[in-house]
Amino acid sequence: MSTLSSYFVPLSQKRKAEETAEIVESTSDPFKHCKTNTEDTCGQEDGGSGKDWPECWTLLQKNDFCQRNEWLFVNNKRLGCKVCRDVGGLPVEKRMGMKISVEVSKTTVNVFKKKIFEHKESGAHKAAERIKSESKNEKLDKVVLNTTKVFRTAYKVAKKNQAFNNFEDEINLQELNGLDMGYTFHSTNACINILNHIADEMRKTLISNIVNSKNKISLIIDESTTVNNRITLIVSIRVVLPKHSAPVSLFLDLIELQDTTARGILSSLISHLESLGISEDYLKEYLLSVTCDGAAVLFGAHGGVKRLIKEKFPSVVFWRCANHRLELSVSDTVNKVVGVNHFKNFMDKLYVTYHASPENARELEECAATLELQLLKIGRILSTRWVASSFCTVFAVWQDYEALVYHFQEGLLRTITSCEFVLDLGLMCDALQVLSELSLDLQERNIDLFTADRKIKNTVQLFEERIENPGPYYNIALQSQKTMKFKGSELHKNEKLTPTISSSAFYESLKETVRKCILEGDDADLPECAKVLDSKYWPENPGKQLTFGETEIRKLAQKFCLNEKETILGFHEYLEENEVPDKLLPLMHALSTIAISSTECERGLSQMNLTVTSSRSSLVIRTVSSLMFIRMVGPPLTQFNPTKYVESWLLQGHHNAVDTKSRKRSREDEAWLNSSSIWRARGSLSLCNCAP
């Protein structure tokens, strides 16, 4: 006989009705009866062991909630969102303040919080649902894929230094080849915006790696003016990056200067570096040296950037570009030694003769062909160009001598066939060859302070020995003076008594001026201190003389603000094992990080002149900097992966390549419309099978 709880309803049916009413009541909010106190749970007759759902739910409630909310799932008595778990992030739809909670996606939300129920109406959850639904029909993949194609095309335009107008033609070409390039991002402005974004992201990654490496850095700066008369500061950085054993010199940025005074330049430099992520505090700890040319506003001892940097960062080594010093030393020699100017003037006449007259150049080529000789280009010497180009010019005259004599009938013939000219030519070939090799060595990106100092000293010693022992070209010229014949041509004495170059005075002047390329002042002893790190200068048993080099290492550690104790211990290990330990690496990296030459900025200047031409003079400095950064620092086109740049682009709220809400570009071509009748003609004028 059944027990009744009322006169009309059995107990089992009444309990079932109460549960059904509870479910209906809690449908709008499944957590209405859940209290913050874990003791106030909805205990049921089956609420015991083995349950995976929250204690405040019955089995019927759990099934009903999960059925009504397909996104909900239960695990280990905690709740989570299936959609957010599957999406895992919002690579496309993320906006400001929109973020998937880790708790929600990994089922760590306690049931006593209403967070999971409120999550259903959140923007992040709706965006995740949209991403998941679009992924089923591959719409999301299409967004990223098409935008990636556009980014790669824009990168190619910058890497090959093409005009931005070529971007639309590149898009058209790929569409004609059957690729889907989307609907938008086909304009010149889109290409500029994309390249600026790529360069900014690349620069952020580079700065982040530099800051995280905690290695010393060197700055290379140079002031320049663009074609559109904007004064800029080219900034390059030299540093040992993580997983690299040698330093690299990289173009960093191009800064437009509003104030060209020393204080204005320094203020613009520091504020711009801070905007990139290199703070002034970081510079105080890790800035090792600054390299620039000899311009007064930069290197002036009283009112230049050098003095201001020394006041702000006392330990910084301020290095004057060794290549610029070398050029100035050659210039000083030209002004001091009698006869050099006369030789230079004659070489300039040769240059003008063949550079300004195509007819003379053609006749010289015919003479060379008759003599079966191959001509070398004749340029200017001892001018504003690097000394290596001066050697190329004098060597070209040496090689082309027979053709030049064959071509000249009068005028310059008397000068070029004189004994004095041949002697001067041989002397200049010897000297400029040595200076050219030194200049090229100093321009190498991996040259360090000790190596540069040694090469400069070797050159000084070579010039000193050349006073007594002539070089190979000068010896040939001396033999020609005795026989009065050079390369088959008769020589004669100079009738005008033009002064020739004294070899002893010439080499003495070069020796003294090149010697100035070595460090001066407080930093003059740095190369000598660094000498102890070269095993060639160690004693026979360095392991038994642990005090060897200790003074020099201590000086270097103090100069570069390194840990003295750790550095000296590392040097002792180096002496014993002849292998560089980790404790000595900071000192080794610091010495190799000092930039010897500002040629990296010169390369940037050359790249800027190739980018900002007369037809592109309206480019803003930010765009010019982005193009230069991609050209000089960016990876090759075959190794460029645009995916991460596309994701960061979309995360910033930009449109994608298949966004139908964006304006499509016009594809009408007026030139085609004007000539379409010709190309679509039939009969005898038919030029193609174009559709009518």
Side-chain angles (χ1 to χ4, degrees):
M1 184 175 179
S2 300
T3 304
L4 300 177
S5 61
S6 68
Y7 292 103
F8 306 102
V9 184
L11 179 61
S12 58
Q13 295 181 14
K14 182 178 181 180
R15 181 174 297 174
K16 183 177 181 180
E18 291 175 352
E19 291 179 354
T20 304
E22 182 183 8
I23 293 175
V24 174
E25 182 181 4
S26 60
T27 299
S28 58
D29 186 354
F31 311 98
K32 181 177 180 180
H33 299 292
C34 297
K35 309 298 181 181
T36 56
N37 188 350
T38 55
E39 295 180 358
D40 297 335
T41 59
C42 303
Q44 300 294 336
E45 60 183 9
D46 58 338
S49 60
K51 288 202 312 180
D52 197 26
W53 56 90
E55 295 288 347
C56 65
W57 286 0
T58 63
L59 177 60
L60 198 57
Q61 283 179 309
K62 176 254 186 182
N63 294 336
D64 185 72
F65 293 153
C66 293
Q67 184 177 2
R68 291 175 179 271
N69 303 280
E70 296 181 355
W71 53 271
L72 183 67
F73 73 105
V74 183
N75 185 24
N76 196 21
K77 299 186 179 181
R78 295 180 180 270
L79 309 179
C81 177
K82 295 179 182 178
V83 178
C84 296
R85 178 194 61 186
D86 296 339
V87 172
L90 297 176
V92 179
E93 297 291 343
K94 184 177 180 182
R95 297 293 185 269
M96 294 297 296
M98 185 184 301
K99 181 180 179 182
I100 291 180
S101 172
V102 177
E103 293 179 336
V104 174
S105 60
K106 295 186 178 181
T107 64
T108 58
V109 176
N110 195 308
V111 71
F112 305 116
K113 299 179 181 179
K114 293 189 177 182
K115 187 173 183 178
I116 191 67
F117 182 72
E118 296 171 353
H119 170 74
K120 179 181 179 181
E121 302 299 327
S122 65
H125 176 76
K126 293 179 179 179
E129 285 184 329
R130 185 162 55 253
I131 292 174
K132 188 173 182 179
S133 62
E134 290 177 353
S135 64
K136 295 179 180 179
N137 55 15
E138 299 181 354
K139 181 178 179 181
L140 179 60
D141 294 339
K142 185 178 180 181
V143 168
V144 177
L145 179 61
N146 286 357
T147 310
T148 298
K149 295 176 185 176
V150 175
F151 269 57
R152 187 179 287 110
T153 304
Y155 188 82
K156 183 254 183 183
V157 169
K159 201 66 178 174
K160 300 300 180 182
N161 200 23
Q162 296 177 329
F164 290 130
N165 293 333
N166 290 1
F167 179 66
E168 295 185 8
D169 295 334
E170 292 286 343
I171 295 290
N172 292 338
L173 175 63
Q174 296 190 49
E175 288 180 341
L176 290 173
N177 287 333
L179 294 179
D180 183 7
M181 302 299 293
Y183 316 114
T184 58
F185 289 169
H186 298 173
S187 65
T188 298
N189 289 335
C191 181
I192 295 174
N193 294 334
I194 290 172
L195 293 177
N196 284 332
H197 175 78
I198 292 175
D200 290 343
E201 293 298 316
M202 284 184 175
R203 194 178 286 109
K204 286 179 184 178
T205 303
L206 175 62
I207 296 298
S208 177
N209 290 335
I210 291 174
V211 172
N212 293 334
S213 69
K214 296 184 179 181
N215 288 332
K216 299 289 184 177
I217 64 171
S218 291
L219 294 179
I220 312 169
I221 58 176
D222 193 7
E223 190 181 3
S224 62
T225 305
T226 62
V227 174
N228 51 3
N229 295 325
R230 295 184 179 181
I231 302 176
T232 60
L233 186 71
I234 298 178
V235 183
S236 297
I237 192 169
R238 184 175 175 87
V239 65
V240 179
L241 293 173
K243 300 181 180 180
H244 287 73
S245 58
V248 292
S249 298
L250 302 170
F251 167 77
L252 189 60
D253 212 342
L254 190 66
I255 306 173
E256 185 173 4
L257 298 176
Q258 304 298 334
D259 183 0
T260 56
T261 63
R263 292 192 180 277
I265 292 174
L266 182 59
S267 176
S268 298
L269 175 62
I270 292 180
S271 61
H272 195 80
L273 290 176
E274 286 183 348
S275 67
L276 295 178
I278 302 178
S279 64
E280 187 171 341
D281 293 336
Y282 178 87
L283 292 176
K284 288 181 180 179
E285 185 174 357
Y286 295 104
L287 180 59
L288 180 65
S289 69
V290 177
T291 303
C292 64
D293 59 10
V297 69
L298 296 176
F299 208 81
H302 301 291
V305 175
K306 174 184 177 181
R307 183 180 66 83
L308 299 177
I309 287 183
K310 282 287 188 179
E311 292 176 356
K312 192 177 288 289
F313 312 111
S315 62
V316 170
V317 177
F318 213 91
W319 176 276
R320 187 175 182 179
C321 173
N323 285 99
H324 282 87
R325 292 189 188 189
L326 188 61
E327 298 300 320
L328 290 176
S329 67
V330 176
S331 178
D332 291 342
T333 301
V334 172
N335 296 329
K336 289 180 181 179
V337 180
V338 178
V340 179
N341 262 325
H342 292 280
F343 180 80
K344 178 179 181 299
N345 291 336
F346 178 76
M347 296 296 292
D348 288 342
K349 290 180 181 178
L350 285 180
Y351 170 76
V352 172
T353 299
Y354 295 108
H355 182 75
S357 175
E359 182 179 358
N360 290 337
R362 178 179 54 80
E363 291 176 357
L364 182 61
E365 290 180 359
E366 292 175 355
C367 294
T370 302
L371 298 173
E372 297 182 353
L373 299 174
Q374 186 174 359
L375 287 179
L376 297 179
K377 186 178 180 180
I378 299 175
R380 292 187 180 275
I381 70 166
L382 307 177
S383 60
T384 56
R385 305 178 67 186
W386 294 116
V387 68
S389 63
S390 297
F391 170 69
C392 292
T393 294
V394 295
F395 183 72
V397 174
W398 181 278
Q399 288 291 99
D400 301 342
Y401 187 83
E402 293 178 71
L404 290 170
V405 172
Y406 188 79
H407 179 244
F408 291 139
Q409 299 297 326
E410 55 185 13
L412 298 179
L413 179 63
R414 294 291 298 172
T415 303
I416 200 172
T417 55
S418 65
C419 292
E420 291 76 10
F421 174 78
V422 174
L423 287 173
D424 291 348
L425 183 63
L427 179 64
M428 295 299 291
C429 279
D430 283 332
L432 290 177
Q433 184 180 31
V434 175
L435 291 172
S436 172
E437 292 173 353
L438 176 61
S439 177
L440 294 176
D441 288 340
L442 295 177
Q443 292 178 44
E444 291 182 359
R445 284 173 166 160
N446 60 347
I447 191 169
D448 55 28
L449 179 64
F450 172 69
T451 305
D453 183 76
R454 179 170 52 82
K455 288 182 178 294
I456 293 172
K457 289 181 178 178
N458 290 343
T459 302
V460 172
Q461 182 179 352
L462 180 62
F463 284 153
E464 188 174 359
E465 295 178 3
R466 280 278 188 262
I467 298 175
E468 301 294 334
N469 302 313
Y473 292 101
Y474 196 67
N475 275 328
I476 295 175
L478 290 175
Q479 293 296 326
S480 299
Q481 186 184 31
K482 294 178 180 180
T483 61
M484 297 299 290
K485 185 174 290 187
F486 179 65
K487 291 195 173 185
S489 300
E490 296 291 334
L491 302 180
H492 63 87
K493 293 290 184 179
N494 192 342
E495 301 173 355
K496 296 182 179 180
L497 300 178
T498 303
T500 59
I501 303 173
S502 170
S503 62
S504 59
F506 183 65
Y507 281 123
E508 185 68 30
S509 177
L510 282 178
K511 181 188 72 174
E512 295 301 323
T513 53
V514 172
R515 198 193 301 273
K516 296 179 182 179
C517 296
I518 303 174
L519 276 172
E520 300 174 349
D522 298 336
D523 303 325
D525 59 342
L526 289 180
E528 284 299 321
C529 293
K531 187 176 180 180
V532 299
L533 293 170
D534 192 342
S535 58
K536 293 187 297 185
Y537 301 97
W538 289 356
E540 293 184 0
N541 297 316
K544 297 181 180 180
Q545 302 181 33
L546 293 180
T547 58
F548 167 76
E550 189 173 298
T551 303
E552 290 82 356
I553 296 299
R554 181 175 283 106
K555 281 185 179 180
L556 292 175
Q558 291 174 353
K559 181 64 179 178
F560 300 149
C561 301
L562 300 174
N563 189 311
E564 290 184 40
K565 183 178 179 181
E566 291 290 326
T567 306
I568 292 176
L569 288 176
F571 182 67
H572 289 166
E573 293 180 18
Y574 185 34
L575 291 175
E576 292 176 357
E577 302 178 5
N578 201 14
E579 291 184 3
V580 180
D582 293 341
K583 296 178 181 178
L584 193 60
L585 282 179
L587 178 60
M588 303 287 280
H589 289 166
L591 284 169
S592 61
T593 299
I594 297 178
I596 303 303
S597 173
S598 63
T599 50
E600 194 65 33
C601 286
E602 297 294 335
R603 295 184 183 100
L605 178 60
S606 300
Q607 187 59 52
M608 184 180 69
N609 292 334
L610 292 174
T611 302
V612 188
T613 59
S614 57
S615 60
R616 307 178 76 185
S617 59
S618 60
L619 289 176
V620 298
I621 296 301
R622 184 197 174 194
T623 303
V624 176
S625 177
S626 298
L627 293 174
M628 292 173 60
F629 190 87
I630 291 175
R631 286 271 293 172
M632 301 178 67
V633 184
L637 180 62
T638 55
Q639 299 180 14
F640 173 64
N641 182 15
T643 304
K644 59 180 180 180
Y645 304 106
V646 171
E647 291 180 354
S648 60
W649 171 271
L650 296 175
L651 286 176
Q652 293 179 10
H654 297 290
H655 294 286
N656 55 72
V658 296
D659 192 349
T660 56
K661 298 179 181 179
S662 301
R663 182 180 178 182
K664 299 180 181 179
R665 71 179 177 94
S666 175
R667 297 175 179 267
E668 293 184 359
D669 193 338
E670 293 182 359
W672 161 251
L673 294 177
N674 293 333
S675 62
S676 59
S677 59
I678 299 176
W679 294 99
R680 292 172 180 172
R682 300 295 183 182
S684 59
L685 294 179
S686 179
L687 301 177
C688 69
N689 294 324
C690 298

